[in-house]
Amino acid sequence: MKRRTPLPALRFSTQTLLLQLGVVALVVLLSSAVHAWLTYDRLGREAENQALTLARTVASDPSVRADVQSISALPAAPPAAELLAGPLMAAAEGARTRTGALFVVITDETGIRLAHPDAERLGEKVSTDPSEALAGKEVTTRNTGTLGPSAGAKVPVFAPDSTAVVGEVSVGYSTETISQSLARDILPIAVTAAGALLAGVLASFLLRRRLQRLTLGLEPEEISTLVHDQVAVLQGVDDGVIGVAADGRVSVFNAAAQRLLGVPDLAGTAWAAAPVPAQLKALTRADAAEGDAVELVAGGRVLVASARKALHGREDLGWVVMLRDRTELQQLTRQLDAVGTMSAALRAQRHEFANQLHTIAGFMSIGQPQQAQDYLAKLAGTGPLAFPVDQAELLQDPYLQAFLGAKGVEADERGVSLRLGPESVVRGHVTEPQDVTTVLGNLIDNAVNAAVAGSAAERWVEVEVLDEPGTEGGPGTLHIVVADSGDGLGSAITADGAEGAEAVFSEGFTTSEHPARAGAGQGLGLALSRQLARRRGGDVRILDPGSPGGPGAVFVATLPGTTLPGTTLPGTTLPGTSQPGALQPNGEDNDV
């Protein structure tokens, strides 16, 4: 037995079209039927009224009343031939002929026909009930008699000068005539119905096309699945996703984008007026290169943004902007750099300690214990290998000592001397190391780069750090001043074409003659540092832009709420060290 292949299911748009066509056709048919019935009923009532008028006219004729009274007084009705030639037959046929009625019938008080269009029916009892008319009532009727279906009326015939009923007059108009009138009137109805049906079909096709265009040809089940998938994906990823529709409005703005940019949900707002960085809006310009990534600072974070055109076939759906957070990556990179620097310093110390141990072993092997003892005494007097940072003992916080020590090693490798200013004093300890590392590290890195690029013979960077205790033992403020021996910022600002020293805090500003490639993070350090400081209620600003030939620029940073009062006294050494900030022979460094 051959297996029957199931028929494919109709698409939703096709089902909708068929349903609309069915509804339109049903409405048109019902409306036409109701209109035809009302017309038929109106024509029937008009025929009844016309029959009633004619029956009244015939029944009120004095000669008819007298002739009916005289015949009713006879013991039996006259023969049919006599009735056919009588005056009642002439009066009834004359009225019927003049008005086009189907019949005009006159009876006596017992219902015997005295006048009838069919001569063979004369002298017979009427086929319909005459009792109401013979009782003195006027009635209208729709029934089927010997001449066929009709709409008519029955009126009593009164004796002359009396209220006694001596007979009745029945008049009827054929319903076939009514149907013919309806047929004439139904043509406009049919034309109207056909026009309405055609308009409904056209509207249904247009609605189907619009529905397909709005839904991109997708079925409701597919749309529902897409909505669920979109919500799951957009809310489940850590990257910010912004959808900009073709009409310039924000259509998608997921929770990650709100968190990274620090703004509420912007869905439904105009993209041109959205409170987002200008770099994001520039990515969606018509002349923007698709796929290019830019770095920007927003909400105290370093973000990488890229935009791509969204197309469905040939239809332009707008833009999709992706945001990725590089803040943690930069912090990890900085920490790894510090660890690498510390590792290099430890390797150098290990090498030196190995040389010293070999020297001691040599003295002992040649039998010179006294010289070995003197050599050890000399080593104890000079102390272990220390970071190349002058006056590091002014910082009581071990984190700052270790961080500045690592920076000192990096600067020393580039031929720059890193030193602490004489006004530096930190008696508490740092409670927000990430923010302090970001701000202090960026300022020192920029200063080292400026010193290396400067024209001064002596290359140096001087850092002054001062902690200001908080009120009632609360969090204190860390003040940082960084100066260098470079050539200052004047030429860089002029070359960049910006106005005022504040230009150095704009995103993308750099004094390097060889800017890094896009997305490398160059030109964001000062902007990020200022945002972090201002977010804490502080600031980063230029104290002195410097001058060509040196000294260079001086930056000052204020970081409220980043320190707490310390528990050790100034001048004390750190645990496990014989010198503040020094690395020990066992290879352990200060707490980083």
Side-chain angles (χ1 to χ4, degrees), residues 505-559:
F505 294 103
S506 61
E507 297 176 22
F509 181 89
T510 178
T511 60
S512 174
E513 297 181 356
H514 304 285
R517 66 186 186 279
Q522 191 167 7
L524 298 175
L526 288 177
L528 178 61
S529 299
R530 169 171 276 191
Q531 284 202 15
L532 288 176
R534 288 183 173 179
R535 190 172 62 184
R536 305 191 65 86
D539 199 3
V540 176
R541 56 190 177 87
I542 299 175
L543 194 62
D544 186 352
S547 57
V554 180
F555 286 84
V556 58
T558 305
L559 300 176

Side-chain angles (χ1 to χ4, degrees), residues 209-255:
R209 290 189 60 184
R210 176 168 175 79
L211 183 63
Q212 287 181 328
R213 186 169 61 252
L214 291 177
T215 61
L216 303 178
L218 299 176
E219 295 297 303
E221 297 81 4
E222 296 174 331
I223 296 175
S224 176
T225 302
L226 284 177
V227 170
H228 285 90
D229 293 345
Q230 181 192 36
V231 172
V233 172
L234 292 181
Q235 304 304 327
V237 297
D238 292 332
D239 294 343
V241 180
I242 304 174
V244 182
D247 61 355
R249 292 197 168 272
V250 180
S251 57
V252 177
F253 203 86
N254 70 341

Side-chain angles (χ1 to χ4, degrees), residues 23-365:
V23 170
V24 170
L26 180 61
V27 170
V28 169
L29 290 177
L30 287 177
S31 300
S32 302
V34 170
H35 189 67
W37 168 253
L38 293 177
T39 302
Y40 179 81
D41 186 65
R42 176 179 58 81
L43 293 175
R45 288 197 303 271
E46 291 177 356
E48 290 174 358
N49 294 332
Q50 188 176 0
L52 181 61
T53 302
L54 180 59
R56 287 174 177 172
T57 302
V58 174
S60 62
D61 189 346
S63 61
V64 171
R65 296 172 63 183
D67 290 341
V68 172
Q69 181 184 24
S70 61
I71 294 176
S72 297
L74 297 175
E82 184 179 345
L83 292 175
L84 180 61
L88 291 178
M89 187 66 179
E93 284 300 299
R96 183 183 69 82
T97 304
R98 290 194 304 270
T99 59
L102 177 64
F103 61 85
V104 175
V105 177
I106 302 175
T107 70
D108 60 8
E109 77 280 3
T110 62
I112 300 299
R113 297 186 182 99
L114 304 179
H116 192 278
D118 188 358
E120 296 180 356
R121 302 294 183 181
L122 292 174
E124 297 178 357
K125 192 174 181 65
V126 294
S127 59
T128 57
D129 184 15
S131 58
E132 290 188 62
L134 296 176
K137 298 180 181 179
E138 295 180 348
V139 294
T140 58
T141 62
R142 291 188 191 182
N143 49 38
T144 301
T146 57
L147 297 178
S150 63
K154 294 182 179 182
V155 175
V157 177
F158 297 99
D161 301 327
S162 174
T163 57
V165 178
V166 293
E168 57 102 9
V169 175
S170 177
V171 177
Y173 286 89
S174 174
T175 54
E176 295 179 356
T177 305
I178 297 176
S179 301
Q180 293 174 358
S181 300
L182 178 62
R184 291 193 302 269
D185 294 344
I186 205 68
L187 182 60
I189 299 176
V191 173
T192 303
L197 183 60
L198 181 61
V201 170
L202 180 60
S204 298
F205 272 105
L206 293 178
L207 183 60
R208 178 175 181 261
R209 290 189 60 184
R210 176 168 175 79
L211 183 63
Q212 287 181 328
R213 186 169 61 252
L214 291 177
T215 61
L216 303 178
L218 299 176
E219 295 297 303
E221 297 81 4
E222 296 174 331
I223 296 175
S224 176
T225 302
L226 284 177
V227 170
H228 285 90
D229 293 345
Q230 181 192 36
V231 172
V233 172
L234 292 181
Q235 304 304 327
V237 297
D238 292 332
D239 294 343
V241 180
I242 304 174
V244 182
D247 61 355
R249 292 197 168 272
V250 180
S251 57
V252 177
F253 203 86
N254 70 341
Q258 300 174 38
R259 174 176 54 84
L260 295 177
L261 294 176
V263 295
D265 189 1
L266 301 179
T269 61
W271 177 240
V276 299
Q279 295 95 319
L280 286 182
K281 299 177 182 178
L283 290 174
T284 59
R285 291 200 306 259
D287 56 346
E290 184 178 351
D292 285 352
V294 298
E295 284 194 345
L296 56 107
V297 178
R301 298 176 180 272
V302 178
L303 306 179
V304 178
S306 60
R308 291 191 177 276
K309 198 71 174 175
L311 299 173
H312 184 270
R314 295 183 179 180
E315 184 177 0
D316 182 6
L317 302 182
W319 291 86
V320 176
V321 181
M322 299 294 297
L323 300 175
R324 297 176 181 85
D325 190 0
R326 283 196 56 183
T327 306
E328 296 181 358
L329 179 60
Q330 286 199 347
Q331 292 175 350
L332 290 175
T333 302
R334 186 175 298 281
Q335 292 178 5
L336 288 176
D337 290 343
V339 171
T341 303
M342 300 278 293
S343 299
L346 288 173
R347 285 195 298 270
Q349 186 182 48
R350 178 180 176 277
H351 182 70
E352 183 175 348
F353 285 154
N355 291 336
Q356 292 170 354
L357 290 175
H358 289 157
T359 302
I360 295 173
F363 282 135
M364 297 299 295
S365 64

